[in-house]
């Protein structure tokens, strides 16, 4: 029997809506939801069948038998594993208090369950991966608007000019966004792409600037100077909605385009030309703040300057610009109920110091890497148990050895994942999650021009003895004495609870897999109707919150130390075939893109005697790896680049094991090297050395 199921992809964090065809219980076809994506899906999404039926996955609960990371496991029943975890957690809490528990996650829309469990147990230490991703961008956005990085959407369909800083939209890859980008370019939108290397996205640009590594902030200061000096900004918008413009004018006075050229390598005349062009196209322009931007110690201010450029050009809450993402309440609708709202907030302060020691950081999920100090030193109190939910910090964060030294102080590490990751392999217990086609998930809100409720529906039975999150957290909660906080027996019961008061039922999702909460998008009035969550209610070019915490609203530019000959800034990024460290073991994707290589400027490589495809050694602070060189003129001479996620050390990953190299390992000592204002890890502040490897020294590894 054939049937069609609307669900959500899980091959990356975009979670595109999909339609799955199932025949006699077997998934045979996956495509993008035709109501949103017109059937389009990326290569990763199409490889979802291979993930479910071919990849090596945890097949049942596992308890470690030997040393951590040693790969000795005992396969056990769910009852045995859950009892074991609950007993160990009770012991830790009885001895050290509930605040000794830490939980981290990959992020996303389905976090009510893990947040509720940790909150119900009395720990404030819930965090996610964002210090390795978009935290600088998020904090910069908060400092300007009081709104975070996910509180804006970018109206590419009506945009006249888009500026991207390494935001490689066509390889990252959000299918809907990529489609809109190509449609906009076909309709005449201009694209300026700025990066240390050329990319697929950059190849579509009318203007490509190969910028010197680490000088994004200098470029933006030069652009802001030009926009203000030539009065190219939206004076009415700036006068009505901003605080601190005079301070900005004084700050950028010395940062001329000529000054910026000397640091970035971008000709002053081109900087001026871009500013004038953008002014002609405003307000339908977007300086995209990206997800990560470049990762240096001044990345917060580089990101903040991107937001300021949008503000100066009036590109806020306007068609073709950046639009404040709307939720149910913005359309007079009730939102989803959450389990966490029914649980009191824990009294203890966070172990990462966010919210009390580091008052300028958003306390919502804090900063993951700051928890390692508490693990090692018991300051401000001991952390003794860690639940890792779909998160792989040993792949995402630098200095594996330092991370393991901290993790070894813990009494218990529990991993919930559908895959074998570096951190999963280092755990004491693995609770295997069902694959995304094998499970139902809680309903979630997707904010946007028009908000919607979205649902992941189970398409097939689990291939192995794996379970969905809603079942695992319910069972753990019951064993830990907080089952009252998970008052449901089935996922349908949970869905009905979430939808109470909304006027919708689970049956409303059958037709399309989602429900839109309005028929037509609305924009807030730019005369009086804009809503910013800052103390002043305005866009704060001068941020009282930053300055109260001891940081400047406008930081002066500091030149970076020059990189010695033979050393480079190691840039890392995405490819359309792989999702960070998630997909390297997928048989289909491995066949298309089996290993990462190291991009090196061809002229520089020639002087070093390196030829295309030869093995080179890359090293930093005693960490070494071998990788094949890819020579190209389309990368800055001071930079090298690789695709992130390779160099895996888990032996059961037969396709990914020991293939390529792990870029994050080159940032030795990097856990303590982070942007002091934004909080994000400054990966690119640690230069790497590259040298040719003699044939006798070995193959790429």
């Amino acid at each position: 029997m054939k049937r069609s199921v609307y669900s959500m992809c899980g091959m990356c964090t975009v979670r595109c809506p999909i339609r799955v065809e199932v025949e006699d219980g077997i998934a045979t076809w996956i495509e993008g939801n035709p109501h949103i994506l017109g059937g389009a899906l990326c290569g990763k999404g199409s490889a979802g069948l291979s993930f479910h039926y071919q990849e090596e996955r945890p097949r049942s609960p596992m308890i470690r038998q030997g040393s951590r990371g040693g790969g000795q496991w005992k396969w056990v029943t769910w009852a045995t594993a859950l009892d074991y975890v609950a007993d160990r957690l009770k012991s830790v809490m009885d001895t050290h208090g509930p605040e000794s528990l830490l939980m981290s996650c990959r992020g996303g829309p389905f976090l009510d369950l893990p947040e509720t469990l940790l909150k119900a147990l009395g720990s404030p230490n819930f965090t996610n991966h964002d210090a390795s991703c978009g935290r600088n961008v998020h904090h910069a956005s908060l400092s300007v608007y009081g709104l975070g990085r996910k509180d804006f959407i970018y109206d590419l369909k009506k945009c006249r000019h888009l500026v991207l800083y390494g935001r490689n939209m066509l390889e990252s890859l959000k299918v809907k966004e990529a489609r809109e980008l190509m449609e906009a370019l076909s309709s005449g939108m201009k694209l300026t792409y700025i990066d240390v290397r050329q990319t697929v996205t950059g190849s579509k640009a009318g203007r490509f600037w190969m910028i010197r590594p680490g000088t994004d902030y200098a470029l933006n200061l030069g652009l802001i100077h030009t926009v203000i000096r030539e009065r190219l900004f939206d004076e009415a918008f700036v006068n009505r909605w901003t605080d601190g413009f005079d301070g900005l004018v004084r700050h950028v006075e010395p940062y001329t385009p000529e000054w910026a050229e000397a640091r970035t390598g971008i000709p002053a005349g081109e900087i001026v030309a871009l500013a004038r062009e953008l002014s002609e196209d405003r307000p339908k322009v977007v300086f995209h703040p990206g997800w990560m931007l470049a990762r240096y110690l001044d990345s917060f201010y580089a990101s903040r300057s991107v937001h300021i450029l949008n503000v100066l050009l009036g590109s806020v809450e306007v068609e073709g610009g950046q639009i404040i993402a709307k939720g149910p309440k913005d359309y007079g609708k009730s939102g989803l109920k959450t389990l966490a709202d029914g649980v009191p907030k824990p009294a203890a302060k966070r172990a990462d110091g966010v919210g009390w020691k580091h008052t300028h950081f958003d306390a919502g999920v804090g900063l993951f890497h700051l928890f390692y100090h508490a693990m090692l030193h018991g300051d401000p109190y001991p952390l003794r148990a860690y639940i890792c939910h779909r998160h792989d910090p040993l792949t995402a964060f630098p200095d594996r050895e330092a991370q393991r030294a901290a993790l070894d102080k813990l009494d218990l590490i529990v991993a919930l994942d559908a895959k074998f990751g570096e951190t999963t392999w280092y755990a004491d217990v693995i609770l295997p999650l069902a694959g995304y086609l094998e499970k139902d998930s809680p309903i979630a809100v997707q904010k946007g021009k028009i908000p919607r409720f979205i649902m992941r529906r189970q398409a097939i039975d689990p291939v192995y003895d794996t379970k969905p999150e809603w079942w695992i957290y319910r069972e753990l909660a019951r064993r830990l004495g907080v089952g009252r906080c998970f008052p449901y027996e089935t996922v349908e019961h949970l869905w009905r609870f979430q939808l109470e008061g909304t006027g919708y039922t689970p049956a409303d999702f059958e037709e399309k897999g989602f429900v839109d909460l309005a028929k037509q998008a609305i924009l807030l009035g730019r005369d009086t109707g804009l809503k910013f969550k800052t103390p002043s209610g305005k866009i704060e070019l001068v941020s009282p919150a930053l300055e109260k915490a001891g940081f400047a609203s406008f930081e002066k530019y500091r030149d970076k130390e020059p990189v010695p000959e033979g050393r480079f800034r190691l840039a890392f990024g995405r490819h359309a075939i792989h999702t960070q460290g998630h997909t390297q073991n997928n048989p289909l994707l491995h066949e298309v893109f089996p290993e990462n290589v190291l991009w090196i400027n061809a002229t520089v490589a020639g002087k070093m005697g390196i030829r295309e495809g030869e093995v080179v050694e890359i090293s930093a602070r005693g960490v070494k790896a071998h990788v094949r060189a890819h020579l190209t003129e389309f990368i800055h001479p001071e930079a090298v680049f690789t695709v992130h996620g390779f160099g895996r050390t888990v032996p059961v990953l037969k396709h990914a094991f020991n293939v390529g190299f792990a870029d994050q390992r080159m940032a030795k000592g990097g856990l303590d090297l982070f942007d002091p204002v934004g909080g994000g890890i400054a990966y690119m502040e640690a230069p790497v050395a590259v040298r040719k490897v003699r044939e006798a020294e070995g193959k790429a590894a």
Side-chain angles (χ1 to χ4, degrees):
M1 183 179 72
K2 292 183 179 181
R3 63 191 182 96
S4 180
V5 180
Y6 287 112
S7 190
M8 295 173 63
C9 186
M11 293 296 286
C12 79
T13 54
V14 176
R15 300 174 188 85
C16 289
I18 56 175
R19 186 183 71 85
V20 186
E21 291 183 3
V22 181
E23 186 172 356
D24 297 330
I26 305 295
T28 58
W29 178 256
I30 306 174
E31 66 178 14
N33 187 317
H35 302 289
I36 298 177
L37 300 179
L41 201 60
C42 74
K44 298 186 296 289
S46 299
L49 296 179
S50 181
F51 164 69
H52 285 85
Y53 294 120
Q54 292 180 279
E55 275 197 54
E56 295 83 19
R57 296 195 277 149
R59 299 189 176 194
S60 75
M62 304 162 68
I63 297 178
R64 176 176 60 84
Q65 299 299 291
S67 61
R68 280 182 178 154
Q72 294 175 278
W73 300 96
K74 181 180 180 180
W75 302 76
V76 298
T77 65
W78 275 98
T80 298
L82 293 170
D83 287 345
Y84 180 87
V85 171
D87 289 344
R88 295 287 299 276
L89 288 175
K90 287 177 183 176
S91 177
V92 167
M93 290 189 291
D94 288 345
T95 304
H96 302 285
E99 66 272 16
S100 62
L101 306 185
L102 167 68
M103 181 183 289
S104 74
C105 64
R106 183 68 182 83
F110 304 122
L111 300 182
D112 186 35
L113 298 170
E115 283 189 90
T116 299
L117 178 65
L118 195 69
K119 196 175 176 184
L121 294 175
S123 174
N125 296 317
F126 185 82
T127 187
N128 69 8
H129 77 294
D130 213 34
S132 66
C133 186
R135 216 62 190 158
N136 290 337
V137 177
H138 174 71
H139 282 132
S141 182
L142 282 176
S143 76
V144 176
Y145 308 103
L147 301 168
R149 70 182 177 99
K150 296 182 180 179
D151 288 323
F152 288 97
I153 58 173
Y154 304 95
D155 189 12
L156 300 186
K157 287 185 176 181
K158 297 183 179 180
C159 183
R160 292 176 182 164
H161 199 140
L162 173 65
V163 182
L164 300 175
Y165 298 78
R167 174 69 182 121
N168 190 4
M169 286 184 175
L170 298 181
E171 294 184 84
S172 287
L173 164 76
K174 300 171 74 172
V175 175
K176 184 173 183 292
E177 180 183 71
R179 285 165 56 89
E180 289 180 352
L181 173 63
M182 295 307 296
E183 290 171 4
L185 290 171
S186 297
S187 299
M189 183 189 74
K190 302 168 190 172
L191 173 61
T192 294
Y193 188 80
I194 305 162
D195 203 340
V196 299
R197 68 178 187 115
Q198 182 58 291
T199 66
V200 172
T201 306
S203 70
K204 307 297 182 184
R207 177 187 286 106
F208 167 60
W209 286 348
M210 190 183 296
I211 193 170
R212 186 182 184 198
T215 62
D216 291 15
Y217 185 37
L219 172 63
N220 290 348
L221 289 171
L223 281 168
I224 294 170
H225 173 100
T226 304
V227 167
I228 291 175
R229 182 188 64 193
E230 298 196 4
R231 305 198 71 80
L232 303 174
F233 57 94
D234 186 331
E235 294 192 43
F237 184 82
V238 168
N239 291 338
R240 173 67 181 86
W241 288 109
T242 71
D243 268 352
F245 179 69
D246 291 343
L248 176 65
V249 173
R250 290 191 295 271
H251 176 70
V252 300
E253 186 175 356
Y255 299 121
T256 65
E258 291 75 20
W259 172 91
E261 177 182 354
R263 284 147 184 85
T264 65
I266 309 301
E270 292 191 26
I271 294 173
V272 173
L274 174 60
R276 291 171 178 170
E277 200 172 297
L278 287 162
S279 182
E280 292 175 2
D281 292 329
R282 67 173 170 86
K284 295 187 176 185
V285 300
V286 170
F287 280 85
H288 199 297
W291 284 2
M292 290 186 66
L293 210 62
R295 301 307 293 271
Y296 296 91
L297 291 174
D298 64 356
S299 289
F300 170 86
Y301 288 105
S303 183
R304 197 167 197 270
S305 62
V306 173
H307 291 294
I308 288 172
L309 281 162
N310 278 320
V311 171
L312 291 177
L313 296 172
S315 177
V316 180
E317 195 63 4
V318 63
E319 287 187 344
Q322 56 175 7
I323 296 173
I324 299 172
K326 310 301 188 298
K329 291 183 180 179
D330 294 302
Y331 284 86
K333 300 292 182 69
S334 297
L336 297 174
K337 291 182 64 176
T338 67
L339 298 171
D341 283 344
V343 182
K345 181 180 179 180
K349 56 188 179 183
R350 294 177 61 93
D352 60 356
V354 174
W356 59 276
K357 182 179 180 181
H358 308 293
T359 57
H360 60 296
F361 292 139
D362 179 10
V365 293
L367 294 169
F368 175 82
H369 59 288
L370 297 185
F371 284 104
Y372 283 129
H373 177 82
M375 293 182 200
L376 284 168
H377 305 290
D379 177 28
Y381 50 77
L383 284 178
R384 302 308 294 263
Y386 172 34
I387 300 174
C388 185
H389 179 124
R390 289 190 61 257
H391 186 201
D392 192 1
L394 289 175
T395 296
F397 286 85
D399 208 332
R400 181 179 65 190
E401 292 75 19
Q403 291 191 70
R404 286 180 173 178
L407 293 172
D408 283 343
K409 296 288 186 179
L410 301 175
D411 298 326
L412 179 67
I413 303 174
V414 181
L416 286 80
D417 211 326
K419 302 180 180 182
F420 286 115
E422 302 293 309
T423 312
T424 308
W425 196 250
Y426 205 69
D428 302 315
V429 183
I430 298 176
L431 302 179
L433 298 177
Y436 64 91
L437 295 182
E438 302 167 334
K439 65 184 179 184
D440 295 305
S441 294
I443 301 170
V445 175
Q446 187 176 71
K447 296 172 69 175
K449 271 186 170 182
I450 295 178
R452 59 170 59 113
F453 293 149
I454 55 176
M455 180 185 283
R456 171 182 283 143
R457 301 297 288 261
Q458 181 177 345
I460 59 174
D461 291 334
V463 177
Y464 306 117
D465 187 15
T466 59
K467 298 290 185 181
E469 288 89 337
W470 66 264
W471 185 91
I472 295 173
Y473 282 105
R474 185 196 68 187
E475 293 301 304
L476 273 176
R478 289 174 176 177
R479 286 167 169 80
L480 291 165
V482 292
R484 66 188 181 282
C485 299
F486 293 78
Y488 58 83
E489 291 296 327
T490 67
V491 72
E492 288 83 2
H493 189 186
L494 174 59
W495 288 339
R496 289 196 296 272
F497 163 80
Q498 291 184 280
L499 290 169
E500 283 178 11
T502 66
Y504 296 102
T505 70
D508 293 318
F509 294 81
E510 295 287 347
E511 183 182 357
K512 297 180 179 179
F514 63 93
V515 291
D516 283 330
L517 302 185
K519 293 183 178 180
Q520 188 171 350
I522 59 171
L523 292 176
L524 302 176
R526 281 169 42 111
D527 292 333
T528 59
L530 298 188
K531 300 175 183 178
F532 303 108
K533 296 182 180 180
T534 56
S536 65
K538 291 188 174 184
I539 297 169
E540 294 184 340
L541 304 179
V542 170
S543 169
L546 274 183
E547 300 193 352
K548 182 179 179 181
F551 298 101
S553 296
F554 310 120
E555 184 60 75
K556 67 180 181 180
Y557 184 82
R558 292 175 172 82
D559 289 314
K560 293 174 175 57
E561 289 291 327
V563 178
E565 186 175 349
R567 291 183 173 270
F568 306 87
R569 301 285 183 184
L570 173 58
F572 59 92
R574 297 282 297 277
H575 187 279
I577 295 300
H578 286 299
T579 303
Q580 288 109 5
H582 294 235
T583 55
Q584 281 72 18
N585 199 54
N586 185 284
L588 292 180
L589 300 178
H590 172 82
E591 183 178 343
V592 177
F593 194 106
E595 65 178 332
N596 58 351
V597 296
L598 190 71
W599 288 36
I600 307 174
N601 180 274
T603 301
V604 173
K607 294 177 181 178
M608 299 172 69
I610 298 170
R611 293 182 296 183
E612 175 68 24
E614 285 188 329
V615 175
V616 297
E617 178 188 86
I618 182 170
S619 62
R621 300 187 181 185
V623 178
K624 300 178 180 180
H626 286 174
V627 61
R628 298 197 181 278
H630 170 56
L631 276 54
T632 174
E633 293 293 349
F634 290 103
I635 187 167
H636 195 280
E638 295 179 21
V640 291
F641 168 84
T642 197
V643 174
H644 175 68
F646 287 83
R648 311 306 292 273
T649 66
V650 179
V652 295
L653 302 177
K654 68 179 183 181
H655 298 289
F657 180 58
N658 276 345
V659 174
F661 86 103
D663 60 273
Q664 74 277 4
R665 291 209 63 211
M666 296 296 119
K668 186 79 171 176
L671 288 177
D672 298 319
L673 195 63
F674 60 94
D675 188 310
V677 196
I681 295 289
Y683 296 93
M684 295 176 68
E685 291 284 3
V688 298
V690 177
R691 72 176 183 89
K692 182 176 180 178
V693 174
R694 295 187 301 272
E695 188 172 342
E697 291 183 81
K699 62 179 182 178

